[in-house]
Structure formats: structure tokens, C-alpha cells
Amino acid sequence: MENVFCSSHPLVRHKLTKLRDIATEPKRFRELIREIAMLLAYEATADLALDRTEVQTPLGRAAGALLREKIGLVPILRAGLGMVDGIWEMMPGAEVWHIGLYRDEHTLRPVQYYNKLPVDPTVQVCLILDPMLATGGSAIAAADILKRWGAQRIKFVGIIAAPEGLRAMRSVHPDVPIHIAAIDSHLSENGFIVPGLGDAGDRQFGTG
Ligand code: PRP
């Protein structure tokens, strides 16, 4: 599928297998979310723009390059929270903007409950962070919000996607690349990804 990047990195595949395991406790689950997020963000940021520069080393001048654009990490609450810290360590200059969305359990439509974006955009590249892309409603809503805000470039970094959600996201936001660790079989009647990993929010926060 165009603009969908599913990682085949052995570390990602190994960690994803542990993540899915029903026996994985919340502490290890959080660590795995953080580690997989870092690996996927590394792949998702491979095309960031650079400015050439030079630095003085102890022995002379060295050619170098520095990131040109300001990056915004945009976790979708709650489950996206666990993807922030690891990525932020790799790019400490990033800004973090939270968007609160929950899925209505009957309609499966996203409901917004938190958004404190300032009036004008302050970053050039936004990484939407949410481990699960199920119907795609939450990812679509987050990209809608960021586009209305004026974000120039948006990428979605998730962990597991259902084909239904990928198709929906592709049809509404074909310009937003999707970086994930797995494309699963289908959605259940209740809108859960099968086989998936259960509820990513509950498993991180021990609330299941
Ligand atoms: C889950 C998940 C996504 C959303 C995916 O969140 O973290 O945000 O559902 O579903 P969609 O693609 O069909 O929109 P949930 O509503 O369970 O909230 P939580 O993260 O606060 O637990």
C-alpha cells in the first residue's frame, strides 16, 4: 500500500512478538512500547531535512549536518503516551503536543477531549504517535486537527494496524506516511485488531 511502511527489522519483530504476548506484564509492556517506538521513529525520520555545517573537533574542522526542521511529537491520549519518552530522548529539541481522543464504544467514532495546540503552528514536522490504528478514526481525526493547525508535514507512527484502518487513513490523508510494525488480519465486531495485542492503553496503565 502506497505510503505505508511496515518495518521488517528483526529487533522490531522480536519485540512486537513479546508485546503481543498475553503473559507480558504492564512494566515490560511499557518498555517494549517505548523500544519499538524508538526503532520505528528512527525509520520514520530517515528523510528529515538537514543543514550543512562545520564543527571544530580537538584535531581540526569536520563537516557536519544539523536537523533543519522543528519536530513535534503528538501522542494521542492515552495509549500514545508510552511512545513519547524514548523518541524524545533521540530528539530532545522536539516539542510535545498532546491530543486527547477516545473511541465511543458504541459508534467507534473518536471523541476529542483535549487539545491545547497554540493558535499558530510551532513545528514543521509532526509525528502522530498511537500504537493502534484500528478503524483509523482516531488517526484521521488527529491528522485533521494538525492540518487545520497548519502543520506542513505529518507522519503517523503506530505499532499495529488493521487493513480497514489503513485503507481509511489512506483515502482521507494519502499525504500522511504511516510507519508501523505490523499489519494484522482484521477488526473484530467490537473494533479490536485481531490478533493484535488487546487494549494498548489498558495494558500500559494496568487498567484492563
Ligand atoms: C485506542 C487506540 C487508538 C484508538 C484506535 O484508544 O489507542 O487511539 O483506540 O482506534 P481507531 O483507529 O478505531 O480510532 P482508546 O479509545 O481505547 O483510548 P485510550 O488510548 O485512552 O485507552
Side-chain angles (χ1 to χ4, degrees), residues 75-118:
I76 302 180
L77 305 177
R78 287 178 304 170
L81 276 179
M83 297 178 71
V84 174
D85 281 357
I87 299 176
W88 210 3
E89 267 174 33
M90 290 196 295
M91 44 188 97
E95 297 180 5
V96 179
W97 294 103
H98 302 85
I99 291 179
L101 296 171
Y102 70 87
R103 249 183 6 167
D104 181 282
E105 60 185 56
H106 301 295
T107 66
L108 298 183
R109 297 298 306 153
V111 180
Q112 184 182 316
Y113 62 91
Y114 186 82
N115 174 0
K116 288 281 184 188
L117 290 169

Side-chain angles (χ1 to χ4, degrees), residues 12 15 31-44 80 82-87 90 129 157-159:
V12 171
K15 289 173 190 297
E31 291 167 357
L32 288 163
I33 290 271
R34 169 195 170 92
E35 292 161 6
I36 295 169
M38 290 172 80
L39 292 165
L40 294 177
Y42 177 77
E43 293 183 350
M83 297 178 71
V84 174
D85 281 357
I87 299 176
M90 290 196 295
L129 308 177
V157 182
I159 294 183

Side-chain angles (χ1 to χ4, degrees), residues 30-78:
R30 289 193 294 275
E31 291 167 357
L32 288 163
I33 290 271
R34 169 195 170 92
E35 292 161 6
I36 295 169
M38 290 172 80
L39 292 165
L40 294 177
Y42 177 77
E43 293 183 350
T45 51
D47 63 350
L48 289 186
L50 293 169
D51 285 326
R52 287 165 189 259
T53 186
E54 276 195 350
V55 285
Q56 182 69 39
T57 79
L59 296 179
R61 302 289 291 172
L66 293 172
L67 291 176
R68 178 181 302 163
E69 297 161 311
K70 189 85 171 167
I71 300 166
L73 305 180
V74 186
I76 302 180
L77 305 177
R78 287 178 304 170

Side-chain angles (χ1 to χ4, degrees), residues 5 20 28 66 70-71 78 147 156 165 182 195 197 201 204:
F5 304 95
R20 289 184 190 273
R28 184 67 191 129
L66 293 172
K70 189 85 171 167
I71 300 166
R78 287 178 304 170
K147 284 185 178 176
F156 179 88
L197 48 70
Q204 283 180 77

Side-chain angles (χ1 to χ4, degrees), residues 76-79 102-103 130 132-138 199 201:
I76 302 180
L77 305 177
R78 287 178 304 170
Y102 70 87
R103 249 183 6 167
D130 191 337
M132 309 303 274
L133 185 76
T135 65
S138 303
D199 187 310

